[in-house]
Coordinates of all heavy atoms in Angstrom, one line a residue:
M1 N -44.5 29.2 -63.5 CA -43.2 29.7 -63.1 C -42.6 29.0 -61.9 O -43.4 28.8 -61.0 CB -43.3 31.3 -63.0 CG -41.9 31.9 -62.7 SD -42.0 33.7 -62.6 CE -42.0 34.1 -64.1
Y2 N -41.4 28.7 -61.8 CA -40.7 28.0 -60.7 C -40.0 28.9 -59.9 O -39.4 29.9 -60.3 CB -39.8 27.0 -61.3 CG -40.4 25.7 -62.0 CD1 -40.8 25.9 -63.3 CD2 -40.7 24.6 -61.3 CE1 -41.4 24.9 -64.0 CE2 -41.2 23.5 -61.9 CZ -41.7 23.7 -63.3 OH -42.3 22.7 -63.9
S3 N -40.0 28.6 -58.6 CA -38.9 29.4 -57.8 C -37.6 28.8 -58.0 O -37.5 27.7 -58.6 CB -39.4 29.2 -56.3 OG -39.4 27.9 -55.9
I4 N -36.6 29.5 -57.5 CA -35.2 29.0 -57.8 C -34.4 29.0 -56.6 O -34.4 29.9 -55.9 CB -34.7 29.7 -59.0 CG1 -33.4 29.1 -59.5 CG2 -34.2 31.1 -58.5 CD1 -33.4 29.2 -61.0
D5 N -33.5 28.0 -56.5 CA -32.5 27.9 -55.4 C -31.2 27.8 -56.1 O -31.0 27.1 -57.1 CB -32.8 26.7 -54.5 CG -34.2 26.9 -53.7 OD1 -34.3 28.0 -53.2 OD2 -35.0 25.9 -53.7
Y6 N -30.1 28.2 -55.4 CA -28.8 28.1 -55.9 C -27.9 27.3 -54.9 O -27.9 27.6 -53.7 CB -28.1 29.5 -56.1 CG -28.9 30.4 -57.1 CD1 -29.8 31.2 -56.7 CD2 -28.6 30.2 -58.5 CE1 -30.5 32.0 -57.6 CE2 -29.3 31.1 -59.4 CZ -30.2 31.9 -58.9 OH -30.9 32.7 -59.8
L7 N -27.1 26.4 -55.3 CA -26.1 25.8 -54.5 C -24.9 26.9 -54.4 O -24.6 27.6 -55.4 CB -25.5 24.5 -55.0 CG -26.4 23.3 -55.2 CD1 -25.6 22.1 -55.5 CD2 -27.0 23.0 -53.7
S8 N -24.2 26.9 -53.3 CA -23.1 27.8 -53.1 C -22.0 27.6 -54.2 O -21.3 28.6 -54.5 CB -22.6 27.7 -51.6 OG -22.0 26.5 -51.4
L9 N -21.9 26.4 -54.6 CA -20.8 26.0 -55.6 C -21.2 26.9 -57.0 O -20.3 27.4 -57.6 CB -20.7 24.6 -55.9 CG -19.7 24.2 -56.9 CD1 -18.3 24.7 -56.6 CD2 -19.7 22.7 -57.1
F10 N -22.5 26.9 -57.3 CA -22.9 27.7 -58.4 C -22.5 29.2 -58.4 O -21.9 29.7 -59.2 CB -24.3 27.5 -58.6 CG -24.8 28.6 -59.8 CD1 -24.6 28.3 -61.1 CD2 -25.3 29.8 -59.4 CE1 -25.0 29.3 -62.1 CE2 -25.8 30.7 -60.3 CZ -25.6 30.5 -61.7
E11 N -22.8 29.7 -57.2 CA -22.4 31.2 -56.9 C -20.9 31.4 -57.1 O -20.4 32.4 -57.7 CB -22.9 31.5 -55.6 CG -24.4 31.6 -55.6 CD -25.0 31.8 -54.1 OE1 -24.1 31.8 -53.1 OE2 -26.1 31.9 -54.1
K12 N -20.1 30.5 -56.6 CA -18.6 30.6 -56.7 C -18.2 30.5 -58.2 O -17.3 31.3 -58.7 CB -17.9 29.6 -55.9 CG -18.1 29.9 -54.3 CD -17.4 28.8 -53.6 CE -17.7 29.0 -52.0 NZ -17.2 27.8 -51.2
S13 N -18.7 29.4 -58.9 CA -18.4 29.2 -60.2 C -18.8 30.3 -61.0 O -18.1 30.7 -62.1 CB -19.0 27.9 -60.6 OG -18.4 26.8 -60.0
F14 N -20.0 30.9 -60.8 CA -20.6 32.0 -61.6 C -19.7 33.1 -61.5 O -19.3 33.8 -62.5 CB -22.0 32.3 -61.2 CG -22.7 33.4 -61.9 CD1 -23.3 33.0 -63.1 CD2 -22.7 34.7 -61.5 CE1 -23.9 34.1 -63.8 CE2 -23.4 35.6 -62.1 CZ -23.9 35.4 -63.4
I15 N -19.3 33.5 -60.3 CA -18.4 34.8 -60.1 C -17.1 34.5 -60.8 O -16.7 35.4 -61.6 CB -18.3 35.0 -58.8 CG1 -19.5 35.5 -58.0 CG2 -17.1 35.9 -58.5 CD1 -19.5 35.5 -56.6
R16 N -16.5 33.3 -60.7 CA -15.2 33.1 -61.4 C -15.3 33.1 -63.0 O -14.5 33.7 -63.6 CB -14.7 31.6 -61.0 CG -13.4 31.2 -61.6 CD -13.0 29.9 -61.3 NE -14.0 28.9 -61.2 CZ -14.6 28.1 -62.3 NH1 -14.1 28.6 -63.5 NH2 -15.6 27.4 -62.2
L17 N -16.4 32.6 -63.4 CA -16.6 32.5 -64.9 C -17.0 33.8 -65.6 O -16.4 34.1 -66.6 CB -17.7 31.4 -65.2 CG -17.8 31.0 -66.6 CD1 -16.7 30.3 -67.0 CD2 -19.0 30.0 -66.8
V18 N -17.8 34.6 -64.9 CA -18.3 35.8 -65.5 C -17.5 37.1 -64.9 O -17.8 38.2 -65.5 CB -19.8 36.0 -65.3 CG1 -20.5 34.8 -65.8 CG2 -20.1 36.3 -63.9
K19 N -16.6 37.0 -64.2 CA -15.9 38.0 -63.6 C -15.4 39.1 -64.5 O -15.7 40.3 -64.4 CB -14.6 37.5 -62.9 CG -13.9 38.5 -61.9 CD -12.7 37.7 -61.3 CE -12.4 38.2 -60.0 NZ -11.3 37.4 -59.3
K20 N -14.8 38.7 -65.7 CA -14.3 39.7 -66.7 C -15.0 39.6 -68.0 O -14.5 40.0 -69.0 CB -12.9 39.4 -66.9 CG -12.1 39.7 -65.6 CD -10.6 39.4 -65.9 CE -9.8 39.6 -64.5 NZ -8.4 39.2 -64.6
N21 N -16.2 38.9 -67.9 CA -17.0 38.7 -69.2 C -18.5 39.0 -69.1 O -19.2 38.2 -68.8 CB -16.7 37.3 -69.6 CG -17.2 37.0 -71.1 OD1 -18.0 37.8 -71.6 ND2 -16.5 36.1 -71.8
L22 N -18.7 40.2 -69.4 CA -20.2 40.8 -69.2 C -21.1 40.0 -70.1 O -22.2 39.8 -69.8 CB -20.1 42.3 -69.5 CG -21.5 43.0 -69.3 CD1 -22.0 42.7 -67.9 CD2 -21.5 44.4 -69.7
S23 N -20.6 39.7 -71.3 CA -21.4 38.9 -72.3 C -21.8 37.6 -71.7 O -23.1 37.3 -71.8 CB -20.6 38.7 -73.6 OG -21.3 38.0 -74.5
I24 N -21.1 36.9 -71.2 CA -21.3 35.5 -70.5 C -22.3 35.7 -69.5 O -23.2 35.1 -69.2 CB -20.0 34.8 -70.1 CG1 -19.2 34.4 -71.3 CG2 -20.5 33.5 -69.2 CD1 -19.9 33.3 -72.2
R25 N -22.0 36.8 -68.7 CA -22.9 37.1 -67.4 C -24.3 37.3 -68.0 O -25.3 36.7 -67.4 CB -22.4 38.3 -66.7 CG -23.3 38.6 -65.6 CD -22.9 39.9 -64.8 NE -23.6 40.1 -63.6 CZ -23.1 39.8 -62.5 NH1 -21.8 39.3 -62.3 NH2 -23.8 40.0 -61.4
K26 N -24.5 38.1 -69.0 CA -25.8 38.5 -69.6 C -26.5 37.2 -70.0 O -27.7 36.9 -69.8 CB -25.8 39.5 -70.6 CG -25.6 41.0 -70.1 CD -25.4 41.9 -71.3 CE -25.2 43.3 -70.6 NZ -25.2 44.3 -71.6
K27 N -25.7 36.4 -70.8 CA -26.3 35.2 -71.3 C -26.7 34.2 -70.3 O -27.8 33.5 -70.3 CB -25.2 34.3 -72.3 CG -25.1 35.1 -73.6 CD -24.0 34.5 -74.4 CE -23.8 35.2 -75.6 NZ -22.9 34.8 -76.5
A28 N -26.0 34.1 -69.2 CA -26.2 33.1 -68.0 C -27.5 33.7 -67.4 O -28.4 32.9 -67.0 CB -25.1 33.1 -67.1
E29 N -27.6 35.0 -67.2 CA -28.8 35.6 -66.6 C -30.0 35.3 -67.4 O -31.1 35.0 -66.8 CB -28.6 37.0 -66.2 CG -27.6 37.3 -65.1 CD -27.2 38.8 -65.0 OE1 -27.5 39.5 -65.9 OE2 -26.6 39.1 -64.0
K30 N -29.9 35.4 -68.7 CA -31.1 35.1 -69.6 C -31.4 33.6 -69.5 O -32.6 33.3 -69.5 CB -30.7 35.5 -71.0 CG -31.8 35.3 -72.0 CD -31.6 35.9 -73.3 CE -32.8 35.6 -74.3 NZ -34.0 36.2 -74.0
T31 N -30.4 32.7 -69.4 CA -30.6 31.3 -69.2 C -31.5 31.0 -68.0 O -32.4 30.2 -68.0 CB -29.4 30.5 -69.4 OG1 -28.7 30.7 -70.6 CG2 -29.6 29.1 -69.1
I32 N -31.0 31.7 -66.9 CA -31.7 31.5 -65.6 C -33.1 31.9 -65.7 O -34.1 31.3 -65.2 CB -30.9 32.1 -64.5 CG1 -29.6 31.3 -64.3 CG2 -31.7 32.1 -63.2 CD1 -28.5 32.1 -63.4
D33 N -33.3 33.1 -66.3 CA -34.6 33.6 -66.5 C -35.5 32.6 -67.3 O -36.7 32.4 -66.9 CB -34.6 34.9 -67.1 CG -36.0 35.7 -67.3 OD1 -36.6 35.7 -66.2 OD2 -36.3 36.0 -68.4
N34 N -35.1 32.1 -68.4 CA -35.8 31.0 -69.2 C -36.0 29.8 -68.2 O -37.1 29.3 -68.5 CB -35.0 30.8 -70.5 CG -35.1 31.8 -71.4 OD1 -36.0 32.6 -71.5 ND2 -34.1 31.9 -72.4
L35 N -35.1 29.5 -67.6 CA -35.2 28.3 -66.7 C -36.3 28.4 -65.7 O -37.1 27.5 -65.5 CB -33.9 27.9 -66.0 CG -33.7 26.8 -65.2 CD1 -34.0 25.6 -66.2 CD2 -32.3 26.7 -64.7
I36 N -36.4 29.6 -65.1 CA -37.5 29.9 -64.2 C -38.8 29.7 -64.8 O -39.8 29.2 -64.2 CB -37.2 31.2 -63.5 CG1 -36.0 31.3 -62.7 CG2 -38.5 31.7 -62.7 CD1 -35.6 32.6 -62.1
K37 N -38.9 30.4 -66.0 CA -40.2 30.4 -66.7 C -40.6 29.0 -67.2 O -41.8 28.7 -67.1 CB -40.1 31.5 -67.8 CG -39.9 32.9 -67.4 CD -39.8 33.8 -68.5 CE -39.6 35.2 -68.0 NZ -39.2 36.1 -69.2
N38 N -39.7 28.3 -67.7 CA -40.0 27.0 -68.5 C -38.7 26.2 -68.6 O -37.9 26.5 -69.5 CB -40.6 27.4 -69.9 CG -40.8 26.0 -70.6 OD1 -40.7 25.0 -70.0 ND2 -41.2 26.2 -71.8
P39 N -38.4 25.3 -67.7 CA -37.3 24.5 -67.8 C -37.0 23.7 -69.1 O -36.0 23.3 -69.3 CB -37.4 23.6 -66.7 CG -38.4 24.2 -65.7 CD -39.3 25.0 -66.5
R40 N -38.0 23.6 -69.9 CA -38.0 22.9 -71.3 C -38.0 23.9 -72.3 O -38.2 23.6 -73.6 CB -39.1 21.9 -71.4 CG -39.2 20.9 -70.3 CD -38.1 19.9 -70.5 NE -38.1 18.8 -69.5 CZ -37.3 17.9 -69.4 NH1 -36.2 17.9 -70.2 NH2 -37.5 17.0 -68.5
H41 N -37.7 25.2 -72.1 CA -37.7 26.3 -73.1 C -36.7 25.8 -74.2 O -35.5 25.3 -73.9 CB -37.2 27.5 -72.5 CG -37.3 28.7 -73.3 ND1 -36.5 29.0 -74.4 CD2 -38.2 29.7 -73.5 CE1 -36.8 30.1 -74.9 NE2 -38.0 30.6 -74.4
P42 N -37.0 26.0 -75.4 CA -36.2 25.5 -76.6 C -34.9 26.0 -76.5 O -33.8 25.3 -76.9 CB -37.0 25.8 -77.8 CG -38.4 26.0 -77.2 CD -38.3 26.5 -75.9
S43 N -34.7 27.2 -76.1 CA -33.3 27.9 -76.2 C -32.3 27.2 -75.2 O -31.1 27.4 -75.4 CB -33.3 29.4 -75.9 OG -33.7 29.5 -74.5
L44 N -32.8 26.5 -74.2 CA -31.9 25.9 -73.2 C -31.4 24.5 -73.8 O -30.5 24.1 -73.2 CB -32.7 25.6 -71.9 CG -33.3 26.9 -71.3 CD1 -34.2 26.3 -70.0 CD2 -32.2 27.8 -70.7
T45 N -32.0 24.0 -74.8 CA -31.6 22.6 -75.2 C -31.4 21.7 -74.0 O -30.4 21.0 -73.9 CB -30.4 22.7 -76.2 OG1 -29.3 23.1 -75.5 CG2 -30.6 23.4 -77.4
T46 N -32.4 21.7 -73.1 CA -32.3 20.9 -71.9 C -32.2 19.4 -72.2 O -33.0 18.9 -73.0 CB -33.6 21.1 -71.0 OG1 -33.6 22.6 -70.7 CG2 -33.6 20.3 -69.8
H47 N -31.2 18.8 -71.5 CA -31.2 17.3 -71.6 C -30.6 16.7 -70.4 O -30.0 17.5 -69.6 CB -30.3 16.9 -72.8 CG -28.9 17.5 -72.8 ND1 -28.7 18.8 -73.1 CD2 -27.8 17.0 -72.6 CE1 -27.4 19.1 -73.1 NE2 -26.8 17.9 -72.7
N48 N -30.9 15.5 -70.1 CA -30.3 14.7 -69.0 C -28.9 14.6 -69.1 O -28.4 14.2 -70.3 CB -30.9 13.4 -68.8 CG -32.4 13.5 -68.3 OD1 -32.6 14.2 -67.3 ND2 -33.3 12.9 -69.1
V49 N -28.2 14.6 -68.1 CA -26.6 14.3 -68.1 C -26.3 13.6 -66.7 O -27.1 13.6 -65.8 CB -25.8 15.5 -68.2 CG1 -26.0 16.2 -69.5 CG2 -26.0 16.6 -67.1
S50 N -25.3 12.9 -66.7 CA -24.7 12.2 -65.5 C -23.4 12.9 -65.2 O -22.5 12.8 -66.0 CB -24.6 10.7 -65.7 OG -24.1 10.1 -64.6
V51 N -23.4 13.5 -64.0 CA -22.2 14.2 -63.5 C -21.7 13.6 -62.2 O -22.6 13.3 -61.3 CB -22.5 15.7 -63.3 CG1 -21.3 16.4 -62.9 CG2 -23.2 16.4 -64.5
K52 N -20.4 13.3 -62.2 CA -19.8 12.6 -61.0 C -20.3 13.3 -59.8 O -20.6 12.6 -58.7 CB -18.4 12.7 -61.1 CG -17.6 12.0 -60.0 CD -16.0 12.1 -60.3 CE -15.2 11.6 -59.1 NZ -13.9 11.7 -59.4
E53 N -20.2 14.6 -59.7 CA -20.5 15.3 -58.5 C -22.0 15.4 -58.0 O -22.4 15.4 -56.9 CB -20.0 16.7 -58.4 CG -18.5 17.0 -58.5 CD -18.0 16.8 -59.9 OE1 -18.7 16.6 -60.8 OE2 -16.8 17.0 -60.1
Y54 N -23.0 15.2 -59.1 CA -24.3 15.5 -58.8 C -25.2 14.2 -59.2 O -26.4 14.3 -58.9 CB -24.8 16.7 -59.6 CG -24.1 17.9 -59.2 CD1 -23.3 18.5 -60.2 CD2 -24.0 18.5 -58.0 CE1 -22.5 19.6 -59.9 CE2 -23.4 19.6 -57.7 CZ -22.6 20.2 -58.7 OH -21.8 21.3 -58.4
G55 N -24.7 13.3 -59.9 CA -25.5 12.2 -60.5 C -26.2 12.6 -61.5 O -25.7 13.4 -62.4
R56 N -27.5 12.1 -61.7 CA -28.3 12.5 -62.8 C -29.0 13.9 -62.7 O -29.4 14.1 -61.5 CB -29.5 11.5 -63.0 CG -29.0 10.1 -63.4 CD -28.4 9.9 -64.7 NE -29.4 10.1 -65.8 CZ -28.9 10.3 -67.0 NH1 -27.8 10.2 -67.4 NH2 -29.9 10.5 -68.0
C57 N -28.7 14.8 -63.6 CA -29.3 16.1 -63.5 C -29.5 16.6 -64.9 O -29.4 15.8 -65.9 CB -28.3 17.1 -62.7 SG -26.6 17.4 -63.5
F58 N -29.8 17.9 -65.1 CA -30.2 18.4 -66.4 C -29.1 19.4 -66.7 O -28.5 20.0 -65.9 CB -31.5 19.1 -66.4 CG -32.7 18.1 -66.2 CD1 -33.3 18.1 -65.0 CD2 -33.2 17.5 -67.2 CE1 -34.3 17.2 -64.7 CE2 -34.3 16.7 -67.0 CZ -34.8 16.5 -65.7
S59 N -28.8 19.6 -68.0 CA -28.0 20.6 -68.5 C -28.7 21.7 -69.4 O -29.5 21.2 -70.2 CB -26.9 19.9 -69.3 OG -26.1 20.9 -70.0
G60 N -28.4 23.0 -69.2 CA -29.1 24.0 -70.0 C -28.0 24.8 -70.6 O -27.1 25.2 -70.0
W61 N -28.2 25.2 -71.8 CA -27.3 25.9 -72.7 C -27.2 27.3 -72.3 O -28.2 28.0 -72.1 CB -27.7 25.8 -74.2 CG -26.7 26.3 -75.1 CD1 -25.7 25.7 -75.7 CD2 -26.7 27.7 -75.7 NE1 -25.0 26.6 -76.6 CE2 -25.6 27.8 -76.7 CE3 -27.6 28.8 -75.5 CZ2 -25.4 28.9 -77.4 CZ3 -27.3 30.0 -76.2 CH2 -26.1 30.0 -77.2
V62 N -26.0 27.9 -72.2 CA -25.7 29.3 -71.8 C -25.1 30.0 -73.1 O -25.6 30.9 -73.7 CB -24.8 29.5 -70.7 CG1 -24.5 31.0 -70.5 CG2 -25.5 29.0 -69.4
S63 N -23.9 29.3 -73.5 CA -23.3 29.7 -74.8 C -22.6 28.5 -75.3 O -22.6 27.4 -74.8 CB -22.3 30.9 -74.5 OG -21.3 30.4 -73.8
G64 N -21.7 28.8 -76.4 CA -21.1 27.6 -77.0 C -20.5 26.6 -76.2 O -20.7 25.4 -76.4
D65 N -19.8 26.9 -75.1 CA -19.1 26.0 -74.3 C -19.5 26.1 -72.9 O -19.0 25.3 -71.9 CB -17.6 26.3 -74.3 CG -16.7 25.1 -73.8 OD1 -17.1 23.9 -74.0 OD2 -15.8 25.4 -73.1
I66 N -20.6 26.9 -72.5 CA -21.0 27.0 -71.1 C -22.3 26.4 -70.9 O -23.3 26.6 -71.7 CB -21.0 28.5 -70.8 CG1 -19.7 29.2 -71.1 CG2 -21.3 28.7 -69.2 CD1 -18.6 28.8 -70.3
R67 N -22.5 25.6 -69.7 CA -23.7 25.1 -69.5 C -24.0 25.3 -68.0 O -23.2 25.4 -67.1 CB -23.7 23.5 -69.7 CG -23.4 23.1 -71.1 CD -24.4 23.4 -72.1 NE -24.1 22.8 -73.4 CZ -23.4 23.5 -74.4 NH1 -22.8 24.7 -74.1 NH2 -23.2 22.9 -75.5
I68 N -25.3 25.3 -67.7 CA -25.9 25.4 -66.3 C -26.4 24.0 -66.0 O -27.2 23.5 -66.7 CB -26.9 26.5 -66.2 CG1 -26.2 27.9 -66.2 CG2 -27.7 26.3 -64.8 CD1 -27.2 29.0 -65.9
L69 N -26.0 23.4 -64.8 CA -26.4 22.2 -64.4 C -27.5 22.4 -63.4 O -27.3 23.3 -62.5 CB -25.3 21.3 -63.7 CG -24.1 21.0 -64.8 CD1 -23.1 20.2 -63.9 CD2 -24.7 20.2 -65.9
W70 N -28.6 21.7 -63.4 CA -29.8 22.1 -62.6 C -30.6 20.7 -62.4 O -30.4 19.8 -63.0 CB -30.6 23.2 -63.1 CG -31.3 23.0 -64.4 CD1 -30.8 23.0 -65.7 CD2 -32.5 22.3 -64.6 NE1 -31.6 22.6 -66.7 CE2 -32.9 22.2 -66.0 CE3 -33.7 21.9 -63.8 CZ2 -33.9 21.7 -66.6 CZ3 -34.7 21.4 -64.4 CH2 -34.9 21.4 -65.7
A71 N -31.4 20.8 -61.3 CA -32.3 19.7 -61.0 C -33.6 20.3 -60.5 O -33.7 21.4 -60.0 CB -31.6 18.8 -60.0
F72 N -34.7 19.5 -60.5 CA -35.8 19.8 -59.8 C -35.7 19.5 -58.3 O -35.0 18.5 -58.0 CB -37.0 19.1 -60.3 CG -37.6 19.5 -61.6 CD1 -37.3 18.7 -62.8 CD2 -38.2 20.7 -61.8 CE1 -37.7 19.1 -64.0 CE2 -38.7 21.1 -63.0 CZ -38.4 20.3 -64.1
N73 N -36.3 20.2 -57.4 CA -36.3 19.6 -56.1 C -37.3 18.5 -56.0 O -37.9 18.2 -56.9 CB -36.7 20.8 -55.0 CG -38.1 21.2 -55.0 OD1 -38.9 20.7 -55.9 ND2 -38.4 22.0 -54.1
D74 N -37.4 17.9 -54.7 CA -38.2 16.7 -54.7 C -39.7 16.9 -55.0 O -40.4 16.0 -55.6 CB -38.2 16.1 -53.3 CG -36.7 15.5 -53.1 OD1 -36.0 15.2 -53.9 OD2 -36.3 15.4 -51.8
E75 N -40.3 18.0 -54.7 CA -41.7 18.2 -55.0 C -41.9 18.9 -56.4 O -43.0 19.1 -56.7 CB -42.2 19.2 -53.9 CG -42.3 18.6 -52.5 CD -40.8 18.9 -51.8 OE1 -40.2 19.8 -52.1 OE2 -40.6 18.0 -50.9
K76 N -40.8 19.2 -57.1 CA -40.9 19.7 -58.5 C -41.5 21.2 -58.4 O -42.3 21.5 -59.3 CB -41.5 18.8 -59.5 CG -40.6 17.6 -59.8 CD -41.0 16.9 -61.1 CE -40.0 15.7 -61.3 NZ -40.3 15.1 -62.5
V77 N -41.5 21.8 -57.4 CA -42.0 23.2 -57.3 C -40.9 24.3 -57.5 O -41.3 25.4 -57.6 CB -42.8 23.5 -56.0 CG1 -44.0 22.6 -56.0 CG2 -42.0 23.2 -54.8
S78 N -39.7 23.8 -57.4 CA -38.6 24.8 -57.7 C -37.5 24.1 -58.3 O -37.4 22.9 -58.5 CB -38.1 25.4 -56.3 OG -37.4 24.4 -55.6
V79 N -36.6 24.9 -58.9 CA -35.4 24.5 -59.6 C -34.2 24.8 -58.8 O -34.1 25.8 -58.2 CB -35.4 25.2 -61.1 CG1 -34.0 24.9 -61.7 CG2 -36.5 24.6 -62.0
V80 N -33.3 23.9 -58.7 CA -32.1 24.0 -57.9 C -31.0 24.1 -59.0 O -30.7 23.2 -59.7 CB -31.8 22.9 -56.9 CG1 -30.6 23.1 -56.2 CG2 -32.9 22.7 -56.0
I81 N -30.3 25.3 -59.1 CA -29.2 25.4 -59.9 C -27.9 24.9 -59.2 O -27.6 25.4 -58.2 CB -29.0 26.8 -60.4 CG1 -30.2 27.3 -61.2 CG2 -27.8 27.0 -61.1 CD1 -30.2 28.6 -61.8
L82 N -27.4 23.9 -59.8 CA -26.2 23.2 -59.2 C -24.9 23.9 -59.4 O -24.1 24.0 -58.5 CB -26.2 21.7 -59.7 CG -27.5 20.9 -59.5 CD1 -27.4 19.6 -60.2 CD2 -27.7 20.8 -58.0
D83 N -24.6 24.2 -60.7 CA -23.4 24.6 -61.1 C -23.4 25.3 -62.5 O -24.4 25.0 -63.1 CB -22.4 23.5 -61.1 CG -20.9 23.9 -60.9 OD1 -20.6 25.2 -60.8 OD2 -20.1 23.1 -60.6
I84 N -22.4 26.0 -62.8 CA -22.1 26.5 -64.2 C -20.8 26.0 -64.7 O -19.9 26.2 -63.9 CB -22.3 28.1 -64.3 CG1 -22.3 28.5 -65.7 CG2 -21.4 28.8 -63.4 CD1 -22.8 30.0 -65.9
V85 N -20.8 25.3 -65.8 CA -19.5 24.5 -66.2 C -19.3 24.7 -67.6 O -20.1 25.2 -68.4 CB -19.8 23.0 -65.8 CG1 -20.0 22.7 -64.4 CG2 -20.9 22.5 -66.7
V86 N -18.0 24.3 -68.0 CA -17.6 24.2 -69.4 C -18.0 22.8 -69.9 O -18.1 21.8 -69.2 CB -16.1 24.6 -69.5 CG1 -15.8 25.9 -69.3 CG2 -15.3 23.6 -68.9
H87 N -18.3 22.8 -71.1 CA -18.8 21.6 -71.7 C -17.8 20.8 -72.6 O -18.0 19.6 -72.8 CB -20.0 22.1 -72.8 CG -20.7 20.9 -73.5 ND1 -20.4 20.6 -74.7 CD2 -21.6 20.1 -73.0 CE1 -21.2 19.6 -75.1 NE2 -21.9 19.3 -74.1
S88 N -16.6 21.3 -72.7 CA -15.7 20.6 -73.6 C -14.2 21.0 -72.9 O -14.2 21.8 -72.1 CB -15.7 21.1 -75.0 OG -15.3 22.5 -75.2
G89 N -13.2 20.3 -73.5 CA -11.8 20.5 -73.0 C -11.5 19.7 -71.9 O -12.4 18.8 -71.3
K90 N -10.3 19.9 -71.2 CA -10.0 19.0 -70.1 C -10.6 19.3 -68.8 O -10.7 18.5 -67.9 CB -8.5 19.2 -69.9 CG -8.0 20.5 -69.4 CD -6.6 20.6 -69.2 CE -6.1 21.9 -68.5 NZ -4.7 21.8 -68.3
H91 N -11.5 20.4 -68.8 CA -12.2 20.8 -67.6 C -13.7 20.5 -67.7 O -14.4 20.9 -66.7 CB -12.0 22.3 -67.3 CG -10.6 22.6 -66.9 ND1 -9.9 22.2 -65.9 CD2 -9.7 23.3 -67.7 CE1 -8.6 22.7 -65.8 NE2 -8.5 23.4 -67.0
R92 N -14.0 19.8 -68.7 CA -15.5 19.4 -68.9 C -15.9 18.5 -67.8 O -15.1 17.7 -67.2 CB -15.8 18.8 -70.2 CG -15.2 17.5 -70.4 CD -15.6 16.9 -71.7 NE -15.0 15.7 -72.0 CZ -14.3 15.2 -73.1 NH1 -14.2 16.1 -74.0 NH2 -13.8 14.1 -73.2
V93 N -17.2 18.6 -67.3 CA -17.7 17.8 -66.2 C -18.6 16.7 -66.7 O -18.8 15.7 -65.9 CB -18.5 18.7 -65.2 CG1 -17.6 19.7 -64.5 CG2 -19.6 19.3 -65.8
Y94 N -18.9 16.6 -67.9 CA -19.7 15.5 -68.5 C -19.4 15.3 -69.9 O -18.9 16.3 -70.6 CB -21.2 15.6 -68.3 CG -21.9 16.7 -69.0 CD1 -22.5 16.4 -70.3 CD2 -22.1 18.0 -68.5 CE1 -23.1 17.5 -70.9 CE2 -22.8 18.9 -69.1 CZ -23.3 18.7 -70.4 OH -23.9 19.7 -71.0
H95 N -19.6 14.3 -70.6 CA -19.4 13.9 -71.9 C -20.7 13.9 -72.8 O -21.8 13.6 -72.4 CB -18.7 12.6 -72.1 CG -17.5 12.5 -71.3 ND1 -16.3 12.9 -71.7 CD2 -17.2 12.0 -70.1 CE1 -15.4 12.7 -70.9 NE2 -16.0 12.2 -69.8

């Protein structure tokens, strides 16, 4: 099991995204729980992505269009959650 750290941008994005959507909130919380237990959990469909703001990082599935961006810290003893983003449309952060 990994410890977890959050960037402040994630916290702001999370609040904005789940503010009026309890279903997305529950899915995001389950994704984070799986991420803490096993960053390669099959339900996350974890894969490498390149994002302008963060460079190379990982993407984990929350729901159809929602992803959590994350990275290992330097010692790989914790996971740093970078952001929660949309995967498609004009606001997508990676291709």
Side-chain angles (χ1 to χ4, degrees):
M1 186 174 278
Y2 292 83
S3 63
I4 197 141
D5 297 310
Y6 301 91
L7 291 187
S8 59
L9 182 57
F10 167 80
E11 294 170 353
K12 290 175 188 173
S13 297
F14 183 80
I15 290 167
R16 178 184 43 80
L17 192 63
V18 304
K19 193 179 211 177
K20 297 177 183 174
N21 194 329
L22 184 59
S23 174
I24 294 294
R25 181 185 190 100
K26 287 181 180 182
K27 289 177 182 180
E29 289 169 350
K30 182 168 179 65
T31 297
I32 292 167
D33 186 52
N34 285 336
L35 187 57
I36 292 168
K37 292 176 184 172
N38 176 9
R40 301 289 184 184
H41 190 281
S43 71
L44 299 173
T45 63
T46 297
H47 58 284
N48 287 306
V49 295
S50 182
V51 179
K52 182 179 172 183
E53 292 86 355
Y54 308 111
R56 299 291 296 164
C57 60
F58 295 97
S59 173
W61 188 86
V62 174
S63 71
D65 195 39
I66 309 294
R67 303 292 186 271
I68 287 182
L69 300 178
W70 62 276
F72 287 109
N73 75 352
D74 291 338
E75 295 84 31
K76 291 193 176 187
V77 294
S78 70
V79 168
V80 179
I81 297 186
L82 306 170
D83 206 350
I84 186 167
V85 298
V86 293
H87 184 257
S88 65
K90 69 178 183 175
H91 298 292
R92 70 178 176 226
V93 296
Y94 69 90
H95 302 277

